[in-house]
Amino acid sequence: MSRPVPNPGILDIAPYTPGKSPVAEPGRKVFKLSANETPFGPSPKAIEAFKRVADHLEDYPEGTSRVLREAIGRSFGLDPNRIICGAGSDEILNLLAHTYLSHGDEAISTTHGFLVYPIATMAVGAKNVVAAEKNLTCDVDAILKAVTPRTKLVWLANPNNPTGTYIPFDEVKRLRAGLPSHVLLVLDAAYCDYVSRNDYEMGIELVATTENTVVTHTFSKIHGLAALRIGWMFGPEHIIDAVNRIRGPFNVSTPAMYAAVAAIEDTAHQAMSKQFTETWRNWLTEEITKLGLKVTPGVANFVLIHFPQEGKTSYAADAYLTKRGLVLRALKNYGLHHALRMTIGTEEANRLVVEALRDFMGGK
């Protein structure tokens, strides 16, 4: 019997696997540290804004997310007409792939880049080309070496998930200068709000001065609106115009839009979260290193912990931590078979993880 057949290449795509959620058990407190969610939740002002629109859920959203685009424009000093909003930055990444990639084209991502990149690339029949990283960090020279006449797009998460590493803005500019002018450079700045390095820039300057660069951002991380699925992109007018032609007319819900406006305007909530994250990121890195484990130096709201390939392995550590109610992210699907990614959680959660790892490494 015949049946519908997916387009070529679709069944070659490994589906995205999110971080596992803890399973509640009577008498045991659990901490989900697998999805890089903020331990503080959204701004109270965002919650209030969300609730205010609850009486009008029968109304379609305003189709261009104008109120939110204007709020983003005020916060970053951008032209709202050069901003597009989406159901999470994931939707925008997929829209870019549908707009600029086709069968026979190539898109470049790095070895341990965000898994949505190859999915978005392959879903439109294009080829995902992997550029090797250096010390779990993007290597600009490797990306440039991977460019062929078929290259149409380069994906770059900066900082990168799941490694937490970043490249300085001078290197981003060198990458842009080395790419052919017809190649679109997509800068994914989902974790930029946590970075305090003087040599870092999310990419707005480059977008403002070129015709072939965009930067995407999300409200899922420091703003704590992951459940509402909302993100945005800043780009040249011609790219915004092209993507808008295939964007769903009501892709951002009204509650999400108004919650995001309130969230981006609550700078005190963001500053508090950033300071807390930096303090505990440094503490976790130091304390976990003392246990004889390696931690990749990162700048986001998580740490990447490396385990021995035998004995005290990441698999054993994952099982041990889970039994103690501490759920981290295994990274087999990212090719990091001997590492766990830990979201920086509450003070209680952070201390419990270090205590549990100390017991694990000590054989308790």
Side-chain angles (χ1 to χ4, degrees):
M1 182 175 67
S2 65
R3 61 182 183 180
V5 177
N7 287 331
I10 294 296
L11 296 183
D12 295 328
I13 299 173
Y16 184 84
T17 305
K20 64 183 178 181
S21 296
V23 178
E25 294 182 10
R28 187 184 75 168
K29 191 173 183 179
V30 294
F31 296 89
K32 182 186 177 188
L33 304 171
S34 59
N36 298 340
E37 297 153 339
T38 172
F40 299 109
S43 159
K45 297 177 181 178
I47 296 174
E48 291 173 10
F50 179 87
K51 291 179 178 178
R52 279 198 300 270
V53 301
D55 292 335
H56 301 282
L57 300 184
E58 74 279 9
D59 297 334
Y60 280 104
E62 189 279 312
T64 71
S65 303
R66 176 185 57 81
V67 174
L68 178 55
R69 289 187 294 107
E70 291 175 351
I72 295 169
R74 289 191 298 271
S75 295
F76 288 89
L78 306 177
D79 179 359
N81 292 322
R82 293 180 59 178
I83 297 170
I84 190 172
C85 297
S89 54
D90 290 358
E91 184 197 20
I92 296 173
L93 300 176
N94 279 279
L95 288 172
L96 287 169
H98 279 276
T99 305
Y100 291 100
L101 295 174
S102 186
H103 287 270
D105 294 336
E106 295 177 353
I108 299 173
S109 59
T110 63
T111 306
H112 304 297
F114 188 34
L115 289 179
V116 168
Y117 305 151
I119 292 174
T121 298
M122 298 170 67
V124 296
K127 178 182 178 182
N128 178 56
V129 176
V130 178
E133 297 173 355
K134 185 179 294 183
N135 298 322
L136 299 179
T137 305
C138 164
D139 183 346
V140 169
D141 292 317
I143 292 177
L144 294 176
K145 188 176 180 180
V147 174
T148 74
R150 293 186 174 184
T151 304
K152 295 292 177 62
L153 189 150
V154 172
W155 307 105
L156 176 61
N158 197 34
N160 185 56
N161 171 36
T163 62
T165 56
Y166 81 103
I167 60 172
F169 189 46
D170 283 348
E171 280 293 276
V172 177
K173 290 190 288 187
R174 185 168 76 86
L175 172 61
R176 176 66 274 175
L179 292 171
S181 59
H182 71 275
V183 173
L184 176 62
L185 175 60
V186 180
L187 302 175
D188 182 350
Y191 295 91
C192 69
D193 302 294
Y194 296 105
V195 186
S196 298
R197 304 297 177 88
N198 291 332
D199 59 354
Y200 176 81
E201 158 65 44
M202 68 183 290
I204 285 176
E205 173 190 324
L206 199 57
V207 176
T209 56
T210 65
E211 290 291 306
N212 44 22
T213 311
V214 298
V215 61
T216 65
H217 200 9
T218 180
F219 283 89
S220 296
K221 303 307 173 186
I222 203 166
H223 297 296
L225 298 178
L228 295 185
R229 311 310 306 125
I230 186 162
W232 59 277
M233 175 178 77
F234 175 58
E237 290 183 6
H238 69 95
I239 292 179
I240 298 299
D241 174 64
V243 174
N244 263 327
R245 292 169 185 266
I246 65 168
R247 176 183 61 83
F250 306 112
N251 62 326
V252 175
S253 73
T254 302
M257 178 169 61
Y258 281 98
V261 170
I264 202 170
E265 291 177 348
D266 192 348
T267 55
H269 188 79
Q270 297 168 50
M272 175 275 297
S273 181
K274 180 178 181 178
Q275 181 58 56
F276 178 93
T277 300
E278 188 168 324
T279 298
W280 285 96
R281 184 176 63 221
N282 293 338
W283 183 86
L284 284 165
T285 300
E286 181 179 348
E287 294 299 317
I288 294 172
T289 301
K290 289 179 182 177
L291 302 177
L293 298 169
K294 178 184 176 183
V295 177
T296 295
V299 295
N301 69 331
F302 56 87
V303 292
L304 184 65
I305 309 167
H306 301 269
F307 293 82
Q309 295 187 24
E310 297 181 356
K312 303 293 184 179
T313 66
S314 63
Y315 302 100
D318 190 27
Y320 184 88
L321 292 167
T322 299
K323 287 182 179 179
R324 291 179 61 155
L326 303 164
V327 181
L328 277 60
R329 176 69 183 268
L331 298 168
K332 181 180 179 181
N333 55 343
Y334 276 98
L336 294 165
H337 296 270
H338 308 293
L340 295 176
R341 189 191 67 192
M342 174 193 169
T343 305
I344 296 166
T346 61
E347 177 177 349
E348 180 184 10
N350 298 334
R351 292 188 182 279
L352 285 174
V353 169
V354 170
E355 179 184 330
L357 285 175
R358 185 179 295 115
D359 290 345
F360 172 74
M361 295 301 291
K364 293 186 179 180

